[in-house]
Amino acid sequence: MGSGPSAEETREQMLEIYPKKTRRKRAKQMLVNKTPETPEAIGANSRTVPGIITQRGCSYAGCKGVVIGPIYDILHITHGPIGCGWYSWLSRRNMSKIRHPEETNYLQYSMSTDMQEDHIVFGGEKQLKQAIQEAYDEFKPKAISVYATCPVGLIGDDIHSVCREMKEKLGINIFGFSCEGYKGVSQSAGHHIANNGVFKNMIGLDDTPVEAKYKINVLGEYNIGGDAWEIDRILRLCGIHIIGTLSGGVSYDEICNCHQADLNVVMCHRSINYMAEMMETKFGMPWFKVNFIGIEGTKKSLRKIAQYFDEKELTDRVEEVIAMEMADVRPVIEDVRQRTEGKKAALFVGGSRAHHYQDLFSDMGMTTIAAGYEFAHRDDYEGRDVLPSIKIDADSRNIEELHIEADPERFNLRKTKERKVALEESGFEFSDYEGMMRQMAKDTLVIDDISAHELEKLIELHKPDVIGSGIKDKYVIEKMGIPCKQLHSYDYGGPYAGFKGAINFFKEIDRMISTKVWKLTRAPWKDDSEEQSAAAAEPATVS
Amino acid sequence: MLEGTTAEIRERKALRINPAKTCQPIGAMYAALGIHKCMPHSHGSQGCCAYHRSHLTRHHKEPIVATTSSFTEGASVFGGLANLKTALENIFTIYEPDIVSVHTTCLSEVIGDDIPMIIKKSEESGIIPEGKLVIHANTPSFVGSHVTGFSAQCAAFVDYLAESTGAKKNVINLFPGWVEPADMREIKRLAEMLGVEYIMAPDTSDVLDSALEGEYQMYPDGGTTIPQLKAMGDSMATLALGPMASTLAADKLKKKCGVENKVLELPIGIGGTDAFVNAMRIAGDVTVPRELEKERGRLVDMVSDMSQYLHRKKVAIFGDPDHVTAMVKFLVEVGMEPAIVVTGTKGKKWVAKIKEICSEVNPDVEVAAFSDIHYLHQWIKGNPVDLLMGNTYGKYVAKSEKLPFVRFGFPILDRVGHRAFPLIGYTGGMRLIEKITDAFFDKRDREDADEDIELVL
């Protein structure tokens, strides 16, 4: 952990202040990564301790805000009082643009049933039905999705039957998500609910064949700051065609058609691994984990995709693209590293980036001394090999698990069993994710669902040079004189994925670490040294 | 940009599109942050709290600290008593506030959690340390808007804290309404210039515009103190600024402690500030200092200098009722013509009030309460205007209609000046004139033909 107390001592000091019960619970969620190759079991995906100042959000945010909300040409209607729809209106930077003149981008619109007291008392189904009708009349969209919020489940509105009725009446696809905010323990429940809904209501609706040699989907990529466009740019250069990106910058039709791909690659494991599994079972499409964040990660991911398709033409092209792109990246890294080498970072981000971004920091010669997720599960920390040993607790038991079977007509094994085994024997990993802890250095701190207190303590004891976190932490951290890079919103910059994204990120971290503002935090008269007084006494030069 | 919007207006009964309001708890959270060493606590599932903190942070570019009961499905069915008790124990042990102010969400309101009972039980079981306080406000999201939540939180300060000792003091209470920290600072400056002793609550200045000095204070220096809140019961009079935000608290204080009150519109513009200054002068029995008269005169001077650019310009404006009322008055005062006026909050009386204010310059003004930005946009398409005023969400409309745009109200997520400079008072009026004319001139300089560009304006 560099200077300051050891990871173990730091952990102890963080736990010290807690009441007994809280201490016991938090202790399970805070680990010293003693044996990275065989990570210890972490207490992840358990309920939040009330009053602790968590970073976490809710199931609605995970479902509407994260997974489905980015699909730009369907109308998203929030069924609830006004807040949920309002706060999830353009606040995540899942960018989108219309690509055909007849399309409409609905993401600039926030739609809600704006429930009032009488809807709570007498039920809101009539209001929802009417709202769907009005949305249809106003915009004539291809599809409409409906999201439940906290009160909906409690008052017993059946959004699914309303959707079915309106679907029949209007002749467009209309479907609902029971993503009430209290479900599960975090955004994560919402991801699962969203995956189920997308799988049931969109995937496979359009069997139009796609003419392309290498067809893939990128799952769990939400195009924050244009990340998906950069990934698309690189893959296009390589000759690889993306049918659907779930779900950044994606259209309804692309999702309905994306079972035509021959491979799913997964960026954000947490939010979309359900979909990858279900698509493999139903359509026979394999998946593996990639990471287009960081230079090494991007190269490795491209090569892995080429290896999967196993055609010399593609393998060669991938190497050409890498060489071409690296010509731009190399001088930037060399320049930036002069100022970033040896600096320390700490990362506390959602369910995926706390891992991915360690690659970008390591490209710059920086080390990650502590990291954690808000809402990831044990497999994201420890790797998917622990899946069989994960027990689903009472708080998450009510999240539906779909039972999927092979599609009698459309199941198509993209790789024969023999070919898959041969690939695996050469070190290729399908359906796997090694988790964050294996990649982290020995004796670093891993903290799940970090509290405001723990974060403050970490900064006090270790003074990292930069912290990657979110908007709620950013200004807390910066008041302490430490730059905070928002790794959800990218501080309104980006992209950070791929080669161009890496260049953006390197320059940005260089700016944050080098900017003079942190040296201005203390007024000069607070340190009344002789040197200072002498400097102050000197007259300004007149030239 | 907003390519789905057409001029054809279909009346909507159930669908809200692009709301001009949000829900109650965020207002309560903002008000609670205006109390010194207060921890706002959201009694509901944690998503609300995360959203409210994030949005307030985006607006203020400041830490927004609040805790939550983090409801799970079980608590949602069986009640949130255990969650709140655990939360209080953790909050007092870890974060050591002097006071926790609990507000509710649609979740805890629908299940009917009895907060006073939970507070009482927590007191009895010793969870609340000696000398520490827990208060509460009910803030159901399906009633009213964020302004309602702000108002409820202000009323809770009175309910729980204001005391009358029987000895009246020569002090004026000020409820500033939901305005920016910079505005609160300006209200205090005006009171100090006038030489009036006052207690203002809430006061988010020095809390939500704190200094960067290398150290983080979870509870910054600012905020109304608990003794001040208690002492409000002994003041001579109350001035409540912004009827929707402040009347409830002022009336409760009158009922509880017998403090007479006067409700004023927010002190925006010449007349708005005049009314405030005059009310302070009378209530405090003071003379208006020459310096303040000069400030007023400088604003009048600026309005006269810029009159040719303002006269009869048509304005579309949306926001919270109190903000919009005061701003519409100012627009009328400087010769502009409010054409479309929208709020997301319900209010028949408010509609009548706006019509009355506009009657002289534009009897046909389009006014709507419980309305939204989509309607506003459609009305603009049918009835073009020269200027749009509103919060950040208006920028999409401004871009799609190529309108000069002045940001005001809550939230402003994409600019920084609102937290540093007031819109309130005579100086705030000058800033508004600057903002409005800047917006006009920028558009003109950008779009005029080369031969039409003027050096001097």
Side-chain angles (χ1 to χ4, degrees), chain A residues 427-438:
Chain A
F428 198 98
E429 282 167 347
F430 283 104
S431 319
D432 198 23
Y433 172 42
E434 62 165 2
M436 177 177 87
M437 288 165 78
R438 284 200 173 92

Side-chain angles (χ1 to χ4, degrees), chain B residues 25-298:
Chain B
I26 195 171
M29 189 182 281
Y30 179 66
L33 289 164
I35 303 308
H36 186 59
K37 286 203 85 173
C38 176
M39 180 68 86
H41 181 85
S42 169
H43 187 56
S45 64
Q46 66 208 8
C48 313
C49 187
Y51 274 145
H52 300 145
R53 289 178 62 203
S54 297
H55 240 57
L56 285 172
T57 301
R58 291 176 182 126
H59 175 86
H60 293 283
K61 318 281 181 223
E62 284 288 312
I64 301 292
V65 176
T67 50
T68 160
S69 295
S70 294
F71 271 55
T72 56
E73 192 157 11
S76 307
V77 177
F78 300 111
L81 179 138
N83 291 59
L84 185 50
K85 281 175 77 176
T86 308
L88 288 174
E89 187 186 5
N90 280 316
I91 295 164
F92 282 117
T93 313
I94 308 164
Y95 298 112
E96 301 180 314
D98 285 346
I99 177 169
V100 173
S101 188
V102 181
H103 60 257
T104 55
T105 68
C106 40
L107 176 52
S108 52
E109 287 292 332
V110 170
I111 66 174
D113 266 354
D114 181 352
I115 311 288
M117 181 274 288
I118 303 176
I119 295 176
K120 196 162 165 268
K121 288 203 165 171
S122 304
E123 257 162 8
E124 286 162 6
S125 57
I127 288 171
I128 304 169
E130 192 70 33
K132 305 275 181 170
L133 298 168
V134 180
I135 67 173
H136 100 286
N138 288 100
T139 50
S141 318
F142 43 81
V143 176
S145 71
H146 54 296
V147 187
T148 319
F150 180 90
S151 162
Q153 178 67 69
C154 294
F157 299 144
V158 173
D159 280 341
Y160 276 90
L161 298 166
E163 286 167 6
S164 166
T165 62
K168 284 274 171 231
K169 288 198 195 106
N170 194 12
V171 173
I172 310 289
N173 295 324
L174 291 171
F175 289 113
W178 187 341
V179 292
E180 302 279 349
D183 293 321
M184 298 196 186
R185 202 181 288 287
E186 178 65 10
I187 292 169
K188 289 194 288 186
R189 190 184 68 90
L190 289 172
E192 275 152 30
M193 266 181 111
L194 285 159
V196 172
E197 260 201 75
Y198 65 92
I199 297 172
M200 186 170 80
D203 179 3
T204 55
S205 64
D206 283 324
V207 180
L208 296 181
D209 56 359
S210 70
L212 199 163
E213 294 176 307
E215 269 167 40
Y216 167 63
Q217 278 177 278
M218 182 169 273
Y219 309 105
D221 297 339
T224 315
T225 64
I226 293 166
Q228 282 175 320
L229 288 170
K230 288 186 176 168
M232 285 182 114
D234 284 337
S235 298
M236 289 191 317
T238 298
L239 288 183
L241 309 182
M244 186 155 289
S246 303
T247 306
L248 186 63
D251 284 351
K252 289 216 169 205
L253 191 56
K254 183 180 173 187
K255 209 170 159 199
K256 187 176 177 189
C257 303
V259 184
E260 291 296 328
N261 69 54
K262 190 171 170 62
V263 180
L264 298 171
E265 294 300 340
L266 289 176
I268 290 177
I270 303 163
T273 310
D274 285 350
F276 173 65
V277 170
N278 218 20
M280 289 285 273
R281 179 184 69 85
I282 293 163
D285 193 20
V286 292
T287 313
V288 178
R290 184 73 194 118
E291 262 318 302
L292 193 51
E293 289 176 353
K294 283 190 192 166
E295 265 183 41
R296 183 183 190 281
R298 286 200 289 275

Side-chain angles (χ1 to χ4, degrees), chain B residues 321-336:
Chain B
D322 294 346
H323 291 147
V324 172
T325 309
M327 197 63 81
V328 165
K329 279 190 161 184
F330 184 49
L331 296 175
V332 169
E333 198 168 67
V334 300
M336 300 178 82

